[in-house]
């Protein structure tokens, strides 16, 4: 393989690793959406809000949200709760994505 091929492969690899290292964030919010942090604090969700391990996000009736984690965006439907188990592990506690 030529040197530039290796450079392209390395760039793609480090780009993927970088995406995995980024924290989960609330990407979009519509309606009443709350975040319960691992320490028990509850806040109104805002776009750009980081989420950590143990945090959960809940969309109330008629609401929705999007969460981006590890380069993937999940859309949270109304009456749904999504929990961040670890940096790259999510669990739908109620409802659907």
């Amino acid at each position: 393989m030529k040197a530039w091929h290796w450079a392209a492969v390395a760039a793609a690899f480090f780009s993927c690793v970088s995406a995995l290292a980024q924290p989960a964030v609330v990407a979009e919010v519509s309606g009443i959406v709350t975040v319960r942090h691992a320490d028990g604090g509850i806040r109104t969700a805002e776009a750009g809000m980081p989420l950590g391990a143990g945090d959960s996000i809940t969309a109330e009736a008629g609401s929705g949200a999007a969460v981006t984690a590890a380069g993937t965006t999940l859309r949270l439907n109304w009456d749904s709760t999504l929990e961040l188990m670890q940096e790259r592990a999510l669990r739908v506690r109620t409802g659907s994505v």
Side-chain angles (χ1 to χ4, degrees):
M1 199 178 249
K2 294 185 179 190
W4 67 272
H5 283 110
W6 286 111
V9 169
F13 173 78
F14 287 114
S15 173
C16 290
V17 169
S18 175
L20 292 175
Q22 295 176 354
V25 296
V26 178
E28 297 175 23
V29 175
S30 174
I32 301 170
V33 180
T34 56
V35 172
R36 177 182 296 270
H37 293 287
D39 66 5
I42 299 174
R43 292 187 49 204
T44 300
E46 299 176 5
M49 177 184 285
L51 299 172
D55 291 352
S56 61
I57 181 169
T58 301
E60 302 296 331
S63 303
V67 174
T68 300
T72 301
T73 300
L74 298 173
R75 299 210 177 273
L76 188 62
N77 295 324
W78 58 278
D79 278 343
S80 298
T81 298
L82 184 69
E83 183 177 5
L84 186 67
M85 305 297 292
Q86 300 171 8
E87 284 186 27
R88 297 183 308 244
L90 302 169
R91 175 176 70 165
V92 179
R93 285 197 339 212
T94 60
S96 60
V97 292

